[in-house]
Amino acid sequence: MAVSEGRIHVEVAFALPEKQRIVELDVAEGTTVRQAVAQAELARHFPEVAADTFERADLGIFGKPVRDPDSQLLREGDRVEVYRSLEIDPKAARAERAARARQST
């Protein structure tokens, strides 16, 4: 795909357990990670998720968390990943499973 001068091609990905979406975008050079998420209009693709979720979500590029998505600039071919917050703390989940296992023995 040819991208015009001054623009780069990136992807923005978000997933729920039952549904995922990768939005391809051509954005201006100098676009930040957070700006690309806004341009992807994920709330339109995921009406079941509160729109402000995408404004405050933790973000990564190719599986590596981004420390400051409001200032980190994108590069050609980057895939921005929007992370969902955990519904339950992993330690609490392990403790809960262990308690159930003890009860069943």
Side-chain angles (χ1 to χ4, degrees), residues 31-47:
T31 297
T32 68
V33 174
R34 185 77 64 194
Q35 289 169 334
V37 171
Q39 290 178 38
E41 299 179 340
L42 292 173
R44 186 170 55 92
H45 299 289
F46 294 90

Side-chain angles (χ1 to χ4, degrees), residues 1 4 7-8 25-26 30 34 40-41 52-53 57 62-64 69-70 72 76 82 84 88 94 104-105:
M1 169 186 291
S4 62
R7 301 196 64 79
I8 58 173
L25 299 170
D26 290 329
R34 185 77 64 194
E41 299 179 340
D52 67 339
T53 299
F62 290 117
K64 294 184 179 181
D70 294 311
Q72 182 164 335
E76 173 66 29
V82 180
R84 291 182 288 127
I88 185 169
R94 281 192 296 275
S104 65
T105 57

